[in-house]
Amino acid sequence: MSKPDFITMPRVQLRQYILDHREDDEAFQTYLDRFISEDAVIFPAPQSIDSLQINYFIETQSF
């Protein structure tokens, strides 16, 4: 049985594969590499409930 192509596999499918095959280190490493890639967008955590509410308000407004 051949392994699936983890590079082209959608993230949701890869995640399910990892959950079903927890011993597959190659699949897990590919999944981690997607989070660590330079193209990944990292958003800072809110510092308070007020800042969280302000961000939510800004995101839900349609301009």
Side-chain angles (χ1 to χ4, degrees):
M1 184 175 163
S2 64
K3 284 191 171 190
D5 184 9
F6 302 127
I7 302 297
T8 60
M9 188 180 289
R11 180 184 268 179
V12 173
Q13 186 179 357
L14 180 56
R15 180 180 181 276
Q16 187 58 51
Y17 178 87
I18 291 169
L19 292 174
D20 294 340
H21 302 90
R22 294 177 186 265
E23 72 288 344
D24 194 334
D25 293 333
E26 180 185 355
F28 183 66
Q29 187 60 50
T30 302
Y31 189 76
L32 289 179
D33 288 344
R34 289 190 185 180
F35 284 106
I36 300 172
S37 74
E38 293 178 11
D39 297 334
V41 178
I42 299 173
F43 297 96
Q47 299 299 313
S48 68
I49 296 296
D50 291 335
S51 67
L52 181 63
Q53 290 170 338
I54 291 170
N55 289 340
Y56 177 76
F57 177 76
I58 292 170
E59 291 173 3
T60 57
Q61 298 303 307
S62 60
F63 293 98

